[in-house]
């Protein structure tokens, strides 16, 4: 209700020092957090889940973006709708479960009844001048990008989603998300601001010290290279990596799997980056032994060694798509210092647990990696909350995508706050 | 300490759309909540308990209205006093228990000692110029309406309490509250704003779907009727109800039990409504089998089938008085989204548990009904907290008393905030 | 980020009524609490621990002052440093344990490595233009007053610490804190504002009613005397006390133990009071039987009956130094209504538990006394949070040091807020 904080936020935006972390209030101040929910999570395309979350007609999924509870419903014709989970009569939340399957949406308070597209079908005790057509559930914009579901709470969503979708869909389509199932989901609460969760995701400088499971398959070079490094072994390793990228990329492109890195994380409103990168140790998948976790490959894929199709979107998601499985991550802010990281593991819908894949083997690498990252995010938030905190410098070599994220964030806030 | 929110609240008051729920900040904003505590709960008559709560000289009850801890004490002469539970020396809370019995009020910090009327009787180590008469406990205005206790924290309490008392006392007096005992009390915390608890109480549109126990005895028609309803069975049922109201009312009036519905929920400062209504199924009492729960009837009552004397007061209470027992409800706000509902079940003081009444049978209907309502209030608060929320329309037929409450609330706020 | 509260605080300062408790917002308002952290705890010398907490080279202790995590480190040369516990790269908290022992400070996020004096020794992946000398850990001012450690978070700490140290060090030095060990520590969280914890400590008016263990050895007269008291027994007791103070003081002074009470609690920025006071019942130490708790006396002390060297500092500490042991108390605010009281019991480093001292006998008196005081602080905070609260009068006879503390606090705030 109060906007006394606005001039202070405008000043903070103006004071941002490029190449460095943000000033403390960006991570800790409740007024900035409200601005983040309103302007970033309220006016951009937010990744919320995948088509297999609501595979069948009547399937309903709920989720929260800030205080907004959203319904994602599949109607009898197979169409997907995003709706506000609030009855138009006396405000009751319509669905409380995270997932359910229903014929119609019936309010538990006074039985107002809606279709899965949000249309009001029945309301008792209202006068003759009451118009049901004006009392349907409020709609939320929704898009499926080759099976990845994005919503936008604003009336006028950013138009450049279409540009991102046009480029990214051909990369993602061969992994055939519509014919996947969600084999597992983990909700992890990190004790830090959501932007620290994002910053943590956008570099691998911390991987060697912290992620023994992930570094079995991942190359840290995907995030940038230290050109001044004078250890000869390191330079050789990087040259080997560059060769792999070129050779494997050419091969994958030739087989119908677009691979070249592209996108614009900093200057598009719907900022993104996509590219298919090789794995370390001639690996097939992000598992401990770098072999595929699931014998049934995705879609019509025949080749196990397809690398890692890495898809990053601003402000809140990243995805690893491999020949055999997909891992999708959604970041949802809860409080200035608490963030939900929701991770879904997808395999082909016909894959059978225990036969085609072992669940523990499938989820182990990222379950552990997330826990490790969550701890680091907590330490960074504790530090950024201290009066002793000074925004430090990002490595120009290995933290370029962190700067991309932070610069994108500042530009987006500035677009609303004005100069 | 801050009043930056005042212009915003004034605007919200001006924007209120009659016949509809309130805008979201009325339910969720901490600044509005502070205004509610100051202006509604700080300047109106608040129902806090019953005379049997402090039956004997020396009995003390404590309760909280917002952050204010209040003592209700019965002194040696049987007089009842309401006092602030704060020592005048170093601020210590004098009594921490909800109920106790004492000779004098002795502060646990430095032994300052007060009478049960609040007078300072003893304070060590103070200079000769210290005047004990200026350091008694601060008094709170208190009234007993035929045994129902109301307090007002303001210096000048609303004068129209006397008008309400003049009308309502003859209805209540035959139930002889002074000679009752509190057979049971349940404190239920509802996860919603206190106004949603009140709105929920003021209609029975939701009863059929949610309250199997209560609808054994209650007629939903007591809250209004859908004149446009064209189901013939429903019209017949309503006509039957109207006939019962007229016939039973005439009979009860003739026996000294005033029955006609009266009061003014919307335009009096001490808004209220009182009336004796028939029960469904020729019922005697609000129990599962609609028979009296207690063999020993109240006061000098001889007739079991006295209907339900329903007494509603703004801003925070309702009461059902029957031939054999009374159920009293006090609503006390804790946080914008948390509310205490305190329910007391009263029977004649000579009634013996296990012989005259079975406790489970006595409390079952309203214990379950409260739990059901608490859940609905939580769902409504969750919805009203969402950006997807739009204030919905009240049914003109069955939610008239909800509108009465909300319109009363807006008028009372407006009286303090000015135009 | 917001300073809308400043005019309100300035008015509250101006309105303070001498000789009385503070107005409620000083105890309960979040804006005042932030001012307390910034201006009182951020710009004065705060007691944080003792040299024996970090006895050996490489020892590190962490503690929090508000949201600031501070490192106290002893380097290889035995020098002690206070540093902000925040990495200069990506803000991670460097040390999470309360106590540890390390060779260097290595950040768990990206391995930036610092010496125990805070110097940056190593940082990977930074460009050639990166200057490690500009990226050392930020220093915090630190002083040891005869083994008691004080830090100041401000750039320019109050200069009169030196005056306090010059006077107080000769009193404290014979107790030889550097050659003590911390035999026990208890962290107690009190449900009240930190100033209520301090006010509670600065009088013994409440002792007789509340502290059966402490009053075995302590004289309440140390805090002031009721000159108007007309009970003859009380006057005789006081005269006996005055004679003891004179006689024992002369004796102790003669043996090299300065005793006379001195200091200035109200007008120095680093306000303090120190003095050696006799114990009741010819006591030796603050134990239940008033005998020494530890057979090995401190430093070169030969005389068990050395009284109680009582040292109070504004804003957050008090200490009792006896012939055999020391008890030190640090008050650290957590929230407007939550305060950490950290108590350390020190004995000679060569004393052996079970042989020279029994731990239960050593800590019993103050463990119980703290619990009793914590309850009283909670009651006072509950009362001060009530709308029924009016600031009460301090006893001019026995609560003079409470007034000293409160008057000091108001002067210090006024110095920053201006007239």
């Amino acid at each position: 209700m109060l906007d006394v904080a606005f001039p202070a936020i405008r000043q903070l935006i103006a004071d941002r020092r490029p190449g460095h972390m943000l000033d403390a209030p960006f991570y800790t101040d409740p007024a900035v957090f409200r601005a983040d929910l309103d302007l970033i999570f309220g006016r951009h395309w937010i990744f919320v889940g995948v088509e297999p979350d609501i595979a069948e007609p009547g399937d309903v999924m709920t989720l929260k973006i800030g205080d907004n509870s959203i319904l994602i419903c599949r109607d009898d014709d197979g169409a997907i709708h995003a709706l506000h989970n609030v009855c138009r009569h006396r405000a009751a939340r319509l669905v409380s479960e995270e997932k359910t399957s229903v014929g119609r949406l019936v309010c538990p308070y006074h039985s107002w009844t809606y279709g899965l597209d949000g249309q009001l079908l029945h309301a008792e005790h209202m006068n003759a001048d009451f118009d049901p057509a004006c009392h349907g559930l409020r709609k939320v914009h929704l898009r499926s990008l080759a099976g990845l579901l994005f919503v936008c709470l604003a009336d006028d969503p950013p138009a450049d989603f279409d540009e991102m979708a046009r480029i990214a869909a051909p990369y993602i389509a061969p992994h055939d998300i519509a014919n996947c199932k969600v084999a597992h989901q983990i909700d992890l609460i990190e004790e830090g601001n959501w932007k620290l969760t994002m910053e943590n995701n956008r570099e691998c400088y911390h991987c060697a010290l912290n992620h023994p499971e992930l570094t079995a398959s991942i190359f840290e070079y995907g995030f940038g290279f230290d050109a001044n490094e004078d250890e000869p072994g390191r330079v050789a390793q990087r040259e080997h990596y560059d060769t792999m990228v070129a050779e494997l990329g050419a091969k994958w492109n030739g087989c119908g799997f677009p691979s070249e890195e592209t996108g614009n994380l900093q200057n598009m409103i719907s900022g993104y980056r996509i590219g298919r990168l090789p794995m370390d140790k001639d690996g097939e998948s992000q598992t401990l032994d770098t072999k595929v976790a699931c014998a049934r490959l995705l879609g019509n894929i025949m080749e196990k060694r397809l690398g890692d199709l890495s898809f990053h979107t601003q402000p809140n998601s990243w995805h690893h798509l491999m020949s055999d499985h997909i891992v999708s991550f959604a970041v949802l802010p809860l409080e200035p210092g608490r963030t939900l990281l929701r991770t879904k593991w997808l395999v082909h819908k016909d894959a059978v647990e225990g036969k085609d894949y072992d669940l523990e083997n499938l989820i182990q690498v990222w379950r552990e990696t997330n826990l490790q990252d969550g701890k680091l995010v907590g330490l960074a938030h504790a530090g950024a909350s201290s009066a002793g905190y000074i925004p430090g410098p990002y490595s120009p070599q290995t933290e370029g995508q962190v700067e991309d994220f932070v610069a994108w964030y500042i530009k987006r806030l500035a677009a609303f706050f004005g100069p």
Side-chain angles (χ1 to χ4, degrees), chain A:
Chain A
M1 200 159 73
L2 307 178
D3 59 4
V4 290
F6 278 17
I9 294 178
R10 190 175 290 124
Q11 190 58 48
L12 282 168
I13 293 170
D15 290 347
R16 201 255 152 162
R17 188 175 168 204
H20 289 73
M21 279 183 76
L22 295 164
D23 282 327
F26 281 113
Y27 301 114
T28 62
D29 194 283
V32 172
F33 185 72
R34 284 193 301 272
D36 284 0
L37 289 182
D38 285 356
L39 305 179
I40 303 297
F41 281 82
R43 307 202 192 180
H44 293 84
W45 287 100
I46 305 303
F47 173 70
V48 292
V50 293
E51 287 199 26
D53 280 315
I54 40 156
E56 300 297 326
D59 281 358
V60 178
M61 168 170 70
T62 63
L63 64 112
K64 286 188 79 176
I65 300 176
D67 282 325
N68 295 284
S69 179
I70 310 290
L71 296 169
I72 315 281
C73 310
R74 190 182 289 268
D75 70 20
D76 292 344
D77 302 324
I80 306 174
H81 306 274
L83 304 163
H84 281 286
N85 188 7
V86 189
C87 182
R88 290 294 304 277
H89 174 220
R90 292 272 296 280
R93 179 162 291 173
L94 294 162
V95 180
S96 294
E97 302 89 344
E98 193 194 326
K99 289 193 181 176
T100 186
S101 194
V102 300
R104 292 170 170 197
L105 296 162
V106 182
C107 180
Y109 208 160
H110 306 86
S111 300
W112 283 33
T113 302
Y114 304 86
L116 289 162
D117 58 356
Q119 208 185 328
L120 178 60
L121 303 175
H122 183 64
E124 237 187 338
H125 298 318
M126 301 308 289
N127 272 6
D129 60 2
F130 174 78
D131 182 1
C134 297
H135 290 87
L137 298 180
R138 293 183 66 198
K139 289 177 184 296
V140 174
H141 292 280
L142 176 134
R143 296 288 179 86
S144 174
L145 199 175
L148 302 175
L149 301 176
F150 294 80
V151 301
C152 180
L153 290 159
D155 291 335
D156 296 307
D160 65 357
F161 184 91
D162 292 338
E163 185 187 337
M164 170 175 73
R166 188 178 50 80
I167 305 289
Y171 287 72
I172 298 169
H175 297 267
D176 195 12
I177 292 175
N179 285 306
C180 286
K181 65 175 178 184
V182 179
H184 200 66
Q185 175 175 318
I186 293 180
D187 281 0
L188 175 69
I189 290 177
E190 301 189 347
E191 303 294 327
N193 187 267
W194 70 275
K195 294 185 288 290
L196 293 172
T197 300
M198 294 303 297
E199 293 185 41
N200 171 273
N201 169 253
R202 297 292 156 90
E203 48 91 3
C204 216
Y205 180 174
H206 69 275
C207 290
L209 183 64
N210 288 284
H211 296 320
E213 294 85 1
L214 182 63
T215 49
S217 63
I218 213 167
F219 273 114
E220 63 180 292
Y221 305 110
F223 288 90
F225 175 60
D226 182 349
N228 302 315
E229 199 67 64
D230 49 7
E231 301 165 46
R234 197 171 167 85
V235 173
Q237 217 179 347
R238 169 69 192 194
E239 281 165 2
H240 169 61
Y241 176 77
D242 286 343
T243 308
M244 282 176 71
V245 170
E247 287 179 4
L248 286 169
K251 179 181 160 195
W252 294 329
N253 278 324
C255 312
F257 298 99
S259 300
E260 194 185 1
E261 282 191 78
T262 186
N264 192 326
L265 282 167
Q266 201 176 126
N267 295 310
M268 280 177 69
I269 298 178
S270 302
Y272 77 101
R273 178 182 171 102
I274 196 163
R276 200 175 301 270
L277 298 175
M279 291 193 187
D280 206 352
K281 302 186 189 106
D282 301 336
E284 299 165 356
S285 198
Q286 289 172 346
T287 52
L288 264 190
D289 64 3
T290 80
K291 301 298 171 200
V292 289
C294 185
R296 177 65 173 96
L297 300 189
L298 300 176
N300 299 316
I301 294 173
M302 308 292 285
E303 167 61 49
K304 292 179 182 174
R305 202 176 156 218
L306 263 191
D308 164 29
L309 174 60
S310 176
F311 181 37
H312 290 194
T313 72
Q314 313 292 34
N316 88 315
S317 83
W318 61 94
H319 313 263
H320 294 285
L321 299 94
M322 291 152 287
S323 61
D324 65 323
H325 78 282
I326 298 168
V327 197
S328 268
F329 305 77
V331 171
L332 296 164
L334 303 176
E335 296 173 24
R338 288 180 81 234
T339 300
L340 173 63
L341 175 64
R342 175 166 289 167
T343 307
K344 296 176 197 267
W345 284 261
L346 278 65
V347 295
H348 193 285
K349 66 179 178 186
D350 297 335
V352 178
E353 186 185 341
K355 183 170 153 275
D356 294 310
Y357 66 98
D358 173 71
L359 188 63
E360 174 62 18
N361 185 47
L362 178 73
I363 69 173
Q364 187 176 14
V365 166
W366 275 108
R367 181 191 60 206
E368 296 306 312
T369 301
N370 285 348
L371 288 171
Q372 292 146 5
D373 280 332
K375 241 169 125 172
L376 296 171
V377 166
L379 293 175
H381 191 84
S385 302
S386 175
Y389 167 67
I390 298 174
Y394 297 131
S395 160
Q397 310 303 338
T398 61
E399 292 174 308
Q401 289 188 38
V402 184
E403 171 64 14
D404 282 340
F405 169 73
V406 171
W408 175 89
Y409 167 78
I410 288 290
K411 278 180 200 175
R412 298 312 307 144
L413 279 197
F416 297 110
F417 278 101

